[in-house]
Amino acid sequence: MQQFILDYGWAAIFVLMLAESACIPIPSEVTMLLGGALAGGAVAGAHPNLIAVIAAGTLGNVAGSYVAWLAGRYGGRPALHRWGKFVLLRTEEIDRAQDWFVHRGASSVFWGRLLPGIRTFISLPAGIAAMPPVRFGTYTLAGCLPWTGALAIAGYAVGANWHTVEDAIRGPSYLIAAIAALAIAVTVVVAIHRRRRNSSELGTKTLPE
């Protein structure tokens, strides 16, 4: 991601933030912090302008949010449950965003943008509920701007010390990755075992008397 942003500047930030808001799991925290750090001189040579980084991130978020809104508006909840797995969109994430929207109404599009986890998926229930596109865009822009701005400014403040921070978190990152890999492996084993057991039970029930 660092090389991608270095090579293409604000355009890369726009694409990454668009993908994140379109429910593709690319964390905006990494994109915007890194973009801000590069603007602050994290690496030698040319670096993007901080204002351009914030603007690109915000506009990318808004554009990607409309992609998700359209998916919810014209695909509906059944289609999202059926096809979401192909973009790593889990059923519980759709349900959680839907519940958040139902309980808080249109304002959840604004407040949801400030909450990790919810912010990526809040556009889907807004689309399912056929929230007017202009109103949706206004709430989305109002929520995305402080989020992207705060992250970029935090990265900018780190600036040239980015690699020091990167080195400091590398060890814990490896540990987290190892734990995540173990959790995935256990989940797969349990799922396979459960499927085999269900198949065995089904076969037993269907045997002729």
Side-chain angles (χ1 to χ4, degrees), residues 61-109:
N61 254 185
V62 173
S65 296
Y66 271 110
V67 172
W69 180 89
L70 288 169
R73 178 70 178 85
Y74 296 103
R77 192 166 182 172
L80 294 174
H81 282 300
R82 181 177 181 182
W83 302 106
K85 59 185 178 181
F86 294 107
V87 291
L88 303 180
L89 182 59
R90 295 179 298 175
T91 297
E92 56 266 29
E93 291 169 333
I94 300 174
D95 293 339
R96 182 170 58 173
Q98 181 74 38
D99 291 341
W100 180 272
F101 185 85
V102 168
H103 286 98
R104 292 163 180 81
S107 64
S108 64
V109 174

Side-chain angles (χ1 to χ4, degrees), residues 1 16-17 19-20 24-33 119-120 147 151:
M1 289 179 65
L16 292 170
M17 294 297 283
E20 187 249 1
I24 297 173
I26 299 176
S28 59
E29 295 88 344
V30 176
T31 301
M32 295 309 302
L33 281 171
R119 69 180 311 278
T120 304
W147 175 263
L151 289 173

